[in-house]
Amino acid sequence: MGTPSPWAVLVLAVALVGLSAPRAASGQPNFIVILADDVGWGDLGANWPETKETPHLDELAAEGTRFVDFHSAASTCSPSRASLLTGRLGVRNGVTHNFAVTSVGGLPLNETTLAEVLREAGYSTGAIGKWHLGHHGRHHPSFRGFDYYFGIPYSHDMGCTDTPGYNLPPCPPCPRHSMAARVARKDCYTEVALPLFENVTIVQQPVNLSSLAARYMEEAARFIRRASDSGRPFFLYLALAHMHVPLGVPPPLPPTSPRGIYGAALSEMDALVGRIKRVADSHGKGNTLLWFAGDNGPWAQKCELAGRLGPFVGAWQRQRGGSSAKQTTWEGGHRVPALAYWPGRIPAKRTSHALLSTLDIFPTLVALAGAALPPNRRFDGSDASPVLFGWSDVGHKVLLHPNSGAAGKDGEVEALRLAQYKAFYITGGAMACDGSIGPAEHHQPPLIFNLDRDIQEQEPLDVASREYQAVLPAISRAYAQALEDIATDNVSVADYSKDPAATPCCNAQHVACRCQAPGSHGAVPDHRTEGRATRLCL
């Protein structure tokens, strides 16, 4: 009998890991975390009345609790997701900027994910959608605590497709001939097709973006039903492609929206969330917490294909050039829509002003599951159960905002929230629709805004004012304490090295790694080619 291939060993390892989960304790709730991509605070009708495309999300808000001072842990993809799944900022968990198609590493393996904690507590765990925390080797979600994975290993603009969708600038479809593959387009990935994984197998390359939302919905519903039938509690992490470009609206387009393509895509996302809610109501046995949030603010350089900031326009920065949305530490970069729904447990028709973050999802779900936080590390999130259940409306006293690409060192804590005050030690603007970029500016003493009076972040407090002088010592003390806490913690370092051999590719012999004929049911990576073809997939 021949020696098993490395791929077969990996598949067997995934199966054995799944078999090791213990039995669940009775009464544990189910969890569904839906993470939208690049969605604006003003893209939720319940937040911003001008938005008309979100009736299902607005219904969710009416039947649950809406959080209006809720923040992503970072304002770009990989760091935001790493923090949600670890409860720790990037300066602790090591993920300070985005991973690439050719990345060898990912979320450091010594960091414990929410899925790993919940699986150990008896949960069936599933991840559907965008991962972007490493896809090579044991960084793949199948080795990070998830019993089931279906999705794309990174952002869906990081590979070509035959259905390119809507983007600025527009990107061409995948090449079908070798000469076409050599044509470079600015901001477009043209050489390798976007892969769709089911567990560790590439089932489609390139992905059909027009049907992707429907496939995510089908797989999410199947996972919920299967977990419910098993009698085990479940944790579903559903990381949507919406509202990141390219926007892939299936033909025919929905009824004309005043916001055009973006509005149509927003309607599609809203309908998907509505269907997930109905499935949860039907199969969640009345014991399911659904938590919806955004991963960061809108990608302003995409112009009409970017979301609404609402009132969080970062006026001080915009006067100096650049965007104050995604990648920045301005409110528009990290204040995101958030809703929680749990019939009979979470109050309906409630608006919470508590200062909360995606960092809080990890410790909150761990506490509700009756599990324990991983030892020998510190967490930036906290158990928000009292706020969820309406017993309190007090969240963080201090919340840190790391640089996410607009200014300063990646992951560096450059802004801090203390009650209603927000202090900036470094400011900068990401690329705006007009192509401008706001240069980095260091502030010592810091710029301080009173968000209660100035939600647009337009006019910082006068350093000579009594208010500034009264609050500065507390801000300086909180900032110093935060940096000291991080410096004395067990911190991780992510491997950001790159190797073309780490690119997911199911057939290196085909242009753009094509491996599926139209109408086929997926493809397993081709191991008959040289050893590189095996390594390309994980």
Side-chain angles (χ1 to χ4, degrees):
M1 187 172 179
T3 302
S5 70
W7 189 261
V9 172
L10 283 172
V11 173
L12 178 60
V14 172
L16 291 175
V17 167
L19 289 174
S20 66
R23 296 288 298 172
S26 61
Q28 291 171 301
N30 306 308
F31 303 126
I32 300 174
V33 174
I34 302 178
L35 190 68
D37 201 338
D38 288 1
V39 68
W41 189 92
D43 284 334
L44 180 65
N47 285 344
W48 200 245
E50 293 178 23
T51 297
K52 308 296 184 184
E53 296 89 356
T54 60
H56 298 96
L57 283 164
D58 297 343
E59 178 185 83
L60 201 64
E63 297 180 8
T65 292
R66 176 173 64 106
F67 305 100
V68 295
D69 201 356
F70 192 96
H71 301 260
S72 58
S75 55
T76 196
C77 302
S78 296
S80 175
R81 290 153 203 276
S83 291
L84 187 157
L85 290 173
T86 64
R88 288 155 53 86
L89 288 168
V91 286
R92 299 185 198 269
N93 66 39
V95 181
T96 58
H97 55 287
N98 288 340
F99 293 105
V101 173
T102 55
S103 285
V104 172
L107 175 65
L109 299 178
N110 58 304
E111 289 289 326
T112 303
T113 70
L114 176 57
E116 288 170 324
V117 175
L118 293 179
R119 185 162 68 178
E120 185 65 25
Y123 278 70
S124 177
T125 57
I128 293 174
K130 173 177 172 178
W131 178 240
H132 215 169
L133 292 176
H135 51 271
H136 188 64
R138 300 192 71 83
H139 295 288
H140 186 279
S142 292
F143 299 96
R144 303 313 304 265
F146 290 102
D147 299 321
Y148 179 72
Y149 174 63
F150 184 89
I152 295 169
Y154 27 70
S155 296
H156 65 286
D157 64 339
M158 295 171 66
C160 63
T161 70
D162 294 333
T163 53
Y166 300 89
N167 200 350
L168 288 174
C171 291
C174 282
R176 294 184 177 274
H177 307 289
S178 58
M179 289 301 293
R182 300 191 186 115
V183 178
R185 297 286 184 93
K186 187 178 184 298
D187 299 324
C188 295
Y189 291 74
T190 58
E191 295 189 0
V192 178
L194 189 68
L196 179 65
F197 276 84
E198 182 169 25
N199 297 320
V200 295
T201 301
I202 296 175
V203 295
Q204 191 178 51
Q205 192 169 13
V207 174
N208 183 341
L209 291 183
S210 296
S211 62
L212 185 61
R215 296 197 70 176
Y216 282 174
M217 176 60 222
E218 292 167 5
E219 294 303 329
R222 184 176 294 114
F223 174 83
I224 292 170
R225 289 194 294 264
R226 190 165 54 230
S228 179
D229 292 344
S230 74
R232 294 172 61 192
F234 64 83
F235 165 52
L236 173 61
Y237 170 54
L238 176 56
L240 303 177
H242 300 81
M243 298 297 299
H244 198 294
V245 293
L247 302 178
V249 181
L253 290 176
T256 302
S257 163
R259 298 178 67 188
I261 295 300
Y262 190 90
L266 188 58
S267 293
E268 183 184 50
M269 181 190 78
D270 178 72
L272 189 156
V273 174
R275 289 194 290 271
I276 292 293
K277 175 182 177 291
R278 289 194 293 273
V279 174
D281 286 341
S282 298
H283 297 277
K285 300 179 180 178
N287 195 25
T288 300
L289 165 61
L290 192 159
W291 202 329
F292 173 90
D295 74 330
N296 48 246
W299 198 359
Q301 75 182 72
K302 298 301 178 177
C303 303
E304 69 269 20
L305 300 182
R308 279 186 171 136
L309 292 171
F312 307 108
V313 296
W316 188 92
Q317 181 61 56
R318 287 172 68 165
Q319 292 166 3
R320 290 158 177 77
S323 156
S324 56
K326 177 178 177 176
Q327 297 181 311
T328 78
T329 53
W330 299 98
E331 290 295 291
H334 52 74
R335 192 182 292 226
V336 294
L339 307 167
Y341 167 78
W342 187 354
R345 297 295 304 277
I346 290 177
K349 300 180 181 179
R350 176 169 174 259
T351 297
S352 170
H353 294 270
L355 179 59
L356 297 179
S357 167
T358 51
L359 289 161
D360 303 323
I361 293 175
F362 183 109
T364 302
L365 300 195
V366 168
L368 291 173
L373 291 173
N376 305 318
R377 71 204 71 187
R378 297 175 191 152
F379 294 85
D380 297 289
S382 57
D383 179 6
S385 299
V387 178
L388 286 185
F389 298 142
W391 305 333
S392 168
D393 205 33
V394 177
H396 291 262
K397 181 181 179 183
V398 175
L399 189 63
L400 308 178
H401 300 300
N403 168 52
S404 296
K409 181 181 178 182
D410 286 328
E412 184 177 70
V413 176
E414 63 181 37
L416 172 146
R417 176 80 177 273
L418 176 66
Q420 74 268 37
Y421 294 100
K422 185 172 177 187
F424 289 86
Y425 290 88
I426 304 177
T427 56
M431 183 175 288
C433 176
D434 63 7
S436 67
I437 297 176
E441 295 185 40
H442 293 253
H443 304 280
Q444 195 58 257
L447 291 183
I448 301 177
F449 295 84
N450 183 332
L451 298 182
D452 279 354
R453 296 196 308 265
D454 185 14
I455 201 66
Q456 296 184 343
E457 295 172 300
Q458 183 170 1
E459 190 67 36
L461 300 179
D462 184 341
V463 295
S465 69
R466 288 184 178 180
E467 185 177 13
Y468 187 98
Q469 293 300 320
V471 74
L472 179 61
I475 286 175
S476 299
R477 187 163 52 251
Y479 189 56
Q481 289 173 351
L483 296 183
E484 174 67 17
D485 184 74
I486 292 167
T488 57
D489 190 15
N490 286 325
V491 300
S492 301
V493 178
D495 177 6
Y496 276 98
S497 64
K498 299 176 183 179
D499 184 344
T503 303
C505 181
C506 59
N507 193 330
Q509 302 301 308
H510 289 182
V511 174
C513 293
R514 289 181 180 275
C515 65
Q516 179 185 355
S520 71
H521 298 288
V524 175
D526 186 353
H527 301 294
R528 292 171 298 176
T529 56
E530 56 185 330
R532 179 175 178 273
T534 299
R535 293 188 290 115
L536 281 167
C537 299
L538 280 185

